[in-house]
Amino acid sequence: MYFNKTAIKNVLPQTVLIIALIFLSIKVYSKESPALAKLTLKPTQCVSLHQGQQCFVTVDIHWQVNEPGKYCLYSYFKNSKLNCWANEKSGNFKQELTIDKDVTFSLVSVGDDKGVASAVLELAWVHKKSRRSHSAWRIF
């Protein structure tokens, strides 16, 4: 029993030191990591009745980052800049769209032109295109 108490006394300072170093390294690492960003779309999917038809949707985009800065929102549907914000940590954007394919939205940090976050508005349909011609005769 004397041996166990002595071993614990010898190991305890080392354990405390290791735990303290782990917490310090986590704190230093979190300061050096890039700003985490979040980009959300509502809705995330646009549904048309038939495959190949255009889909009409009003998309609401919200973004948030840890570090304030100048950010621009891009749409790769029309390869255009939608809006920019200066010295902001979050922003909202709303737009009506008519789409015929998936649309990717990206938040870019201005200055270093680095993509921070992106999200995809998916196009879906209820019915696939019919392989038959509509002018084909039907017996029944």
Side-chain angles (χ1 to χ4, degrees), residues 69-72 74 81 84-85 108-114 116:
K70 186 171 182 183
Y71 298 95
C72 288
Y74 287 87
K81 185 186 320 182
C84 291
W85 296 265
V108 175
S109 174
V110 177
D112 57 3
D113 293 328
K114 182 178 169 186
V116 187

Side-chain angles (χ1 to χ4, degrees), residues 63-116:
W63 63 269
Q64 185 173 357
V65 295
N66 291 338
E67 303 280 331
K70 186 171 182 183
Y71 298 95
C72 288
L73 180 67
Y74 287 87
S75 164
Y76 293 101
F77 174 62
K78 295 183 179 179
N79 291 328
S80 62
K81 185 186 320 182
L82 300 175
N83 200 8
C84 291
W85 296 265
N87 295 322
E88 296 290 333
K89 290 175 74 173
S90 65
N92 290 308
F93 184 78
K94 195 173 198 175
Q95 184 177 33
E96 292 180 12
L97 295 173
T98 304
I99 63 172
D100 58 358
K101 61 182 179 180
D102 293 351
V103 179
T104 301
F105 295 95
S106 293
L107 185 66
V108 175
S109 174
V110 177
D112 57 3
D113 293 328
K114 182 178 169 186
V116 187

Side-chain angles (χ1 to χ4, degrees), residues 113-126:
D113 293 328
K114 182 178 169 186
V116 187
S118 64
V120 177
L121 175 64
E122 297 177 343
L123 176 65
W125 53 85
V126 177

